[in-house]
């Protein structure tokens, strides 16, 4: 079966930093690079007349600690009980309220459609034009429809995240099905596996599983970046705090939330599949 998507096929890639191990020399070079970055940043902030153009590392660290120690009320989902948490933790939890559902829905739908189109050439022929039209549209282009359909809140942001997760997992599953060895299918057929469901469950899924898992792992990180951008239209979360702080020229606070976003991304990268 031909893939049939030519240049539209997206190659799912993933960072492999954790696979390099804890080589002391590499760790030392990394620390040196980090120290050099902070030094250049600090020197740049001192050379400017106004601190809000580029806040210094101590100012950002102070803002980070301030946001981390200031308390704020958070309403627990489903239960509806208000509890007091760190303000920064509350903003992170608000982001997770649309990140997790959006990632889950987008991944499930993407994998399902990828398996279906990768297996059925007829369905692939019918939907291929639709895929070619919709795939180049970035998730953030749907913000206007997200606001109109779902309003400014968690549901609209989750919708944006779901679109991003859908395409990454769709192409991963699609490519996984297409790469399933024909010889295995022939052997399964000779052993009496004639149904589509049996062939998919016994041959295609085990063969496509590595690519599907790689696609999901990639979507975990990329969708975190999408969720932050999706919050810029007003959905509550860490991303919105960046815009809110910059509107008030509190650039140290904005940089503190940028640092938080980067740290969360690293955690997702090292803990995902």
């Amino acid at each position: 079966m031909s893939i049939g998507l030519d240049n539209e096929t997206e190659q799912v890639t993933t960072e492999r930093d954790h696979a390099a191990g804890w080589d002391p020399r590499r760790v030392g070079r990394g620390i040196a690079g980090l120290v050099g970055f902070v030094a250049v940043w600090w020197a740049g902030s001192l050379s400017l007349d106004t601190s809000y153009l580029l806040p210094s590392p101590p100012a950002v660290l102070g803002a980070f600690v301030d946001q981390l120690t200031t308390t704020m009320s958070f309403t627990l989902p489903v239960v509806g009980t208000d509890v007091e948490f760190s303000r920064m933790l509350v903003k992170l939890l608000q982001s997770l309220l649309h990140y997790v559902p959006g990632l889950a829905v987008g991944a499930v739908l993407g994998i399902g459609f990828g398996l279906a189109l990768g297996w059925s050439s007829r369905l692939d022929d019918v939907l291929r034009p639709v895929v070619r039209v919709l795939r180049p549209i970035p998730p953030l282009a749907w913000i206007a429809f997200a606001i109109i359909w779902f309003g400014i809140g968690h549901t609209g942001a989750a919708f944006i995240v779901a679109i991003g997760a859908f395409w990454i997992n769709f192409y991963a599953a699609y490519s996984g099905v297409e790469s399933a060895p024909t010889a295995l299918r022939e052997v399964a057929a000779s052993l009496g596996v004639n149904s589509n469901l049996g062939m998919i469950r016994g041959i295609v899924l085990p063969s496509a599983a590595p690519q599907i898992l790689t696609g999901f792992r990639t979507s975990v990180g990329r969708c975190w970046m999408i969720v932050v951008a999706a919050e810029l239209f007003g959905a509550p979360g860490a991303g919105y705090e960046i815009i809110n702080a910059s509107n008030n020229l509190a650039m140290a606070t904005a940089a503190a939330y940028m640092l938080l976003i980067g740290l969360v991304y690293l955690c997702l990268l090292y803990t995902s599949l």
Side-chain angles (χ1 to χ4, degrees):
M1 185 184 300
S2 173
I3 292 180
L5 290 180
D6 303 325
N7 294 332
E8 300 295 330
T9 303
E10 177 175 301
Q11 180 182 5
V12 179
T13 59
T14 184
E15 295 87 346
R16 301 185 183 275
D17 296 339
H18 64 290
W22 292 97
D23 185 346
R25 292 173 298 178
R26 302 192 66 176
V27 173
R29 289 194 292 266
I31 294 175
L34 182 61
V35 171
F37 169 75
V38 173
V40 172
W41 170 16
W42 203 335
S45 65
L46 293 176
S47 66
L48 298 174
D49 295 332
T50 51
S51 60
Y52 67 83
L53 290 178
L54 182 62
S56 65
V60 174
L61 181 60
F64 192 96
V65 172
D66 178 67
Q67 294 294 310
L68 197 60
T69 55
T70 303
T71 59
M72 182 179 180
S73 178
F74 177 73
T75 303
L76 296 175
V78 182
V79 180
T81 305
D82 290 336
V83 293
E84 291 291 325
F85 285 135
S86 160
R87 179 179 177 83
M88 183 168 281
L89 178 59
V90 168
K91 296 304 175 181
L92 177 59
L93 292 174
Q94 289 175 342
S95 292
L96 292 177
L97 285 178
H98 38 263
Y99 167 76
V100 174
L103 175 64
V105 172
V108 170
L109 293 179
I111 292 172
F113 275 92
L115 292 174
L117 270 67
W119 177 254
S120 175
S121 59
R122 293 181 180 180
L123 186 61
D124 187 23
D125 291 339
V126 171
L127 295 181
R128 186 185 309 165
V130 179
V131 171
R132 286 176 177 262
V133 170
L134 295 181
R135 178 61 189 98
I137 302 174
L140 295 183
W142 293 93
I143 284 181
F145 289 96
I147 295 175
I148 293 175
W149 293 343
F150 306 109
I152 299 176
H154 294 297
T155 306
F159 171 73
I160 300 298
V161 175
I163 293 176
F166 174 86
W167 290 115
I168 296 173
N169 288 277
F170 170 82
Y171 278 112
Y174 187 98
S175 300
V177 174
E178 290 293 326
S179 63
T182 305
L184 292 180
R185 302 183 190 182
E186 294 174 350
V187 170
S190 66
L191 294 176
V193 181
N194 297 317
S195 66
N196 288 331
L197 181 60
M199 191 69 72
I200 292 174
R201 183 174 56 189
I203 301 299
V204 174
L205 274 180
S207 178
Q211 287 181 265
I212 292 175
L213 291 176
T214 298
F216 178 75
R217 183 177 184 274
T218 302
S219 68
V220 167
R222 292 187 181 177
C223 286
W224 177 245
M225 293 184 282
I226 292 174
V227 75
V228 171
E231 291 172 359
L232 300 183
F233 71 86
Y240 178 72
E241 284 303 298
I242 296 175
I243 288 295
N244 186 45
S246 61
N247 287 338
N248 295 308
L249 295 182
M251 301 310 296
T253 301
Y257 279 98
M258 292 171 64
L259 178 60
L260 172 67
I261 291 167
L263 293 175
V264 172
Y265 177 81
L266 288 178
C267 292
L268 292 173
L269 173 63
Y270 281 86
T271 57
S272 58
L273 297 175

